[in-house]
Amino acid sequence: MTSLPPPSAKKLGLVIDLDTCVGCQACATSCKEWNAQGYSAPLNDSNPYGSEPTGVWLNRIHGFEVKEEGQAHSRIVNFPRSCLHCEEPACVTVCPTGASYKRAEDGIVLVNPETCIGCKLCSWACPYGAREYDQSDGVMKKCTLCVDRIYNENLDVEDRQPACVKACPTGARHFGDLGDASSNVSKLVAERGGYDLLPEMGYKPVNKYLPPRPRRDAHTAKAEALPKPDGSAFDRLFVWADKLLSSKRVVGRVSDIDNSGKLEG
Amino acid sequence: MHPAYSVILFTTASGAGYGLLALLGLVGFNHGQASSVAFALVCMFIALGLITIGLLSSTFHLGHPERAWRALSQWRSSWLSREGVAAVITYVPALAFGLVWSGLIDAPRLIAPLGVVTAVMAMVTVFTTGMIYASLKTIRAWNQMLTVPVYLVLGLATGSALLAGIASLFERFQVFQAVLTIALLLAALILKFAYWRMIDEAPRDHTMESATGLGSIGTVGQWEVPHTSENYVQKEMGYAVARKHAKTLRRFVLVLLALALLAMLASLALSYFAILAAALALAAAVVERWLFFAEAQHVVTLFYGAKSA
Ligand code: SF4
Ligand code: SF4
Ligand code: SF4
């Protein structure tokens, strides 16, 4: 059924931290690796070693440049983009076959590859470009929220996380229940001001993005006042050590070393 | 949006077919049995032929044509499914109407009701086709009030020109047919002109800033694309015809429609001009449909460098 189920209490999704994402593509690569053999298999590529390789990926990492008012240099923000498992997903309601559906129990949006006719209408209805058509397979592919990992009892408990979340080296991707206000992801969203993409479209994405923290660099960071010495024994010890270590006698400058001499022997 | 030839062929061929079918239904409602079996059969054959070619071409563009029947199941939520259902249902009254209207089956009392039902179902089907596009919030140029009226009027105008053309071949051309076609072509011309003004003036209120949510920091620009060559999203949704070419093609559509109008006027003197008018109207519809796709910008382009959508 492509009519939407009543809103579920459980809203599984991702929270993506734009402050810490370094754009390394690890999540995209491990997403491709897991899904090319999991629920979405095959995840076809065409002309993979040619000059114009294309293929189906469920996660894409963009790079944006943000120019701040009054700043000489712009900021680079790495920006992962995958299905946001929207609460009001028109990608589901436009599907003529019922292949696209939103799960009543946890809100995950999936495509049934057995019934999809490959009409591509759902990809037109998605504002976020989250659906990619698999030309060789003739069906639509999308992020499954790694439904075949998160409930997979053959995996160790700590591995029941989406592949992209596990792979991220900076911990920029978080997985959890955004319907539960006390979950870690909900707390993170509340703390850091997590937001929706294109909120005016009314799709109500479940996934949230955490904004980059305010800029701190040589131009913007305030010089922090150094603590004044209070004359204690510890202070005197540090002052003595500081003098000793800054002195030439301990570590000479390169120019002090006599390198004019011949080699001995 | 990528202008897929199968979809352009489908919407223009079936649009003209349904337009013709609707008018035949009304002719039957008004006049009862057709004056010649051959004329009725040729008309019905062309109408249903165009519809069937269109439907088949739209099916072949699917990834899994053998599963096409599944598309009839989700009419509760999906306009594409509703279109499929309407298209299939329309065959029933249309075939029945063809049989009684042509006189192959002698049931004169059924002609009027079957004619009306056929005409209504034909228009309902074109309406559902238009709604597939008009209901997509992601494409500003389609999500407009005039999208559906343009589909309906162009279908009727091309169908009406076809009817006049076929009638001229069977020496059944009537002034009324020419007047109706002229009125419909004029309506198509005006509506299409208004549609273009509408999409040019519609606010482009989605921005790269709202797409990325980074607008609170500053102005956003694209720095690096996620992949080295175009992916499906860019090929399907990123297609854009250059503004300069779009302008030229818009004028071309208007000129073709105006020429069809003139040919229709000329048909009042020599009825065979109606055939030329039909050809010109169909050509206008094909170019119009190509532009309808090629000019439409999808909101996802914001992630790939478009400033607003
Ligand atoms: S991001 Fe796109 S594909 Fe995913 S649920 Fe939302 S509309 Fe559907
Ligand atoms: S491509 Fe498949 S999943 Fe998408 S709308 Fe068509 S049938 Fe449904
Ligand atoms: S949740 Fe799974 S399918 Fe979705 S982007 Fe992450 S790895 Fe890919």
Side-chain angles (χ1 to χ4, degrees):
Chain A
M1 271 302 291
T2 49
S3 298
L4 296 175
S8 58
K10 202 170 173 188
K11 292 172 186 153
L12 294 185
L14 298 174
V15 172
I16 295 171
D17 190 344
L18 297 180
D19 192 63
T20 48
C21 172
V22 290
C24 68
Q25 310 271 349
C27 58
T29 317
S30 82
C31 168
K32 175 87 174 178
E33 197 233 357
W34 175 263
N35 285 288
Q37 29 200 329
Y39 181 95
S40 302
L43 218 49
N44 288 302
D45 293 318
S46 62
N47 202 14
Y49 303 106
S51 57
E52 292 274 312
T54 56
V56 186
W57 291 65
L58 312 181
N59 185 11
R60 302 281 192 178
I61 321 302
H62 296 251
F64 291 103
E65 180 185 21
V66 190
K67 282 206 176 66
E68 285 170 84
E69 184 97 29
Q71 291 284 347
H73 304 288
S74 44
R75 287 177 73 153
I76 297 302
V77 178
N78 299 296
F79 190 97
R81 178 178 58 80
S82 56
C83 171
L84 309 166
H85 298 280
C86 305
E87 287 183 61
E88 304 268 335
C91 63
V92 168
T93 49
V94 300
C95 174
T97 61
S100 259
Y101 62 105
K102 185 166 176 72
R103 293 177 18 136
E105 61 271 37
D106 53 17
I108 299 181
V109 174
L110 289 176
V111 175
N112 179 352
E114 303 292 313
T115 53
C116 171
I117 56 174
C119 68
K120 306 179 185 165
L121 187 57
C122 54
S123 66
W124 295 3
C126 170
Y128 307 104
R131 293 175 168 247
E132 297 201 10
Y133 178 67
D134 191 329
Q135 190 73 47
S136 335
D137 212 10
V139 296
M140 197 53 78
K141 304 279 166 84
K142 69 179 290 302
C143 158
T144 63
L145 206 61
C146 284
V147 68
D148 46 358
R149 288 183 67 92
I150 58 178
Y151 295 112
N152 191 335
E153 289 177 359
N154 297 318
L155 297 179
D156 292 338
V157 177
E158 61 269 30
D159 283 333
R160 292 181 205 162
Q161 296 265 330
C164 56
V165 172
K166 289 286 293 183
C168 179
T170 64
R173 300 175 78 95
H174 307 266
F175 163 73
D177 180 4
L178 286 141
D180 171 6
S182 64
S183 69
N184 286 342
V185 278
S186 297
K187 282 190 205 148
L188 206 51
V189 170
E191 233 169 72
R192 295 271 311 278
Y195 61 82
D196 288 350
L197 304 186
L198 290 169
E200 71 275 19
M201 299 273 332
Y203 283 53
K204 295 209 223 146
V206 168
N207 284 13
K208 300 283 183 265
Y209 283 74
L210 304 180
R213 291 185 173 88
R215 177 172 185 135
R216 283 188 78 229
D217 58 17
H219 306 281
T220 53
K222 283 194 207 92
E224 280 170 34
L226 292 169
K228 290 218 171 68
D230 58 6
S232 68
F234 262 127
D235 259 358
R236 274 177 284 146
L237 177 69
F238 283 133
V239 170
W240 173 78
D242 183 45
K243 266 200 189 136
L244 186 74
L245 290 169
S246 336
S247 109
K248 271 188 212 168
R249 266 167 295 147
V250 180
V251 183
R253 289 197 298 268
V254 177
S255 58
D256 293 339
I257 300 168
D258 181 12
N259 54 3
S260 60
K262 293 140 262 165
L263 286 172
E264 312 241 324
Chain B
M1 296 297 296
H2 171 70
Y5 290 109
S6 56
V7 177
I8 292 169
L9 180 66
F10 161 59
T11 57
T12 47
S14 71
Y18 284 119
L20 176 56
L21 189 62
L23 292 170
L24 293 177
L26 293 181
V27 167
F29 174 73
N30 246 353
H31 302 293
Q33 196 168 323
S35 48
S36 110
V37 182
F39 173 63
L41 288 183
V42 167
C43 282
M44 289 304 295
F45 185 78
I46 290 179
L48 292 176
L50 282 171
I51 291 167
T52 309
I53 289 172
L55 287 176
L56 285 180
S57 97
S58 77
T59 310
F60 285 135
H61 122 126
L62 299 176
H64 281 278
E66 80 285 2
R67 299 179 183 165
W69 59 273
R70 290 187 185 275
L72 303 177
S73 65
Q74 302 303 313
W75 48 269
R76 283 185 203 81
S77 71
S78 160
W79 281 105
L80 178 53
S81 186
R82 287 172 196 160
E83 182 202 41
V85 172
V88 170
I89 291 181
T90 305
Y91 275 104
V92 179
L95 286 170
F97 169 76
L99 291 175
V100 290
W101 177 55
S102 60
L104 286 185
I105 289 179
D106 188 32
R109 258 181 298 144
L110 287 180
I111 295 175
L114 278 174
V116 172
V117 173
T118 302
V120 169
M121 279 313 297
M123 285 299 97
V124 166
T125 310
V126 179
F127 176 82
T128 55
T129 307
M131 280 308 290
I132 296 172
Y133 303 99
S135 64
L136 291 173
K137 275 196 264 176
T138 44
I139 301 159
R140 186 177 44 87
W142 294 356
N143 192 216
Q144 300 287 344
M145 282 213 339
L146 284 180
T147 301
V148 174
V150 166
Y151 265 80
L152 286 169
V153 167
L154 262 180
L156 280 172
T158 44
S160 179
L162 273 174
L163 178 57
I166 302 166
S168 75
L169 283 176
F170 280 84
E171 312 292 337
R172 274 175 175 73
F173 183 81
Q174 290 166 11
V175 175
F176 175 72
Q177 289 163 354
V179 173
L180 181 68
T181 311
I182 288 168
L184 286 166
L185 284 169
L186 204 60
L189 221 143
I190 293 167
L191 272 181
K192 203 57 214 184
F193 189 76
Y195 167 83
W196 280 320
R197 286 202 57 155
M198 192 178 239
I199 62 168
D200 288 345
E201 281 163 15
R204 306 166 70 85
D205 40 15
H206 306 298
T207 60
M208 203 183 261
E209 281 76 19
S210 67
T212 57
L214 297 171
S216 55
I217 305 177
T219 38
V220 184
Q222 178 168 256
W223 174 60
E224 199 174 50
V225 283
H227 29 82
T228 50
S229 55
E230 284 198 329
N231 69 343
Y232 163 75
V233 171
Q234 278 176 299
K235 284 187 193 134
E236 182 80 4
M237 262 80 75
Y239 188 97
V241 62
R243 218 157 233 262
K244 196 176 71 189
H245 298 312
K247 275 235 164 83
T248 318
L249 286 169
R250 281 182 185 186
R251 258 183 241 129
F252 191 49
V253 172
L254 295 179
V255 167
L256 281 172
L257 283 174
L259 285 176
L261 244 160
L262 286 179
M264 221 49 233
L265 277 173
S267 74
L268 291 171
L270 180 66
S271 65
Y272 296 122
F273 269 110
I275 300 168
L276 179 65
L280 286 166
L282 280 170
V286 170
V287 183
E288 183 272 342
R289 212 44 52 87
W290 189 88
L291 257 187
F292 178 74
F293 280 86
E295 270 196 301
Q297 187 200 355
H298 195 285
V299 72
V300 75
T301 52
L302 294 176
F303 293 102
Y304 283 98
K307 279 305 209 180
S308 62

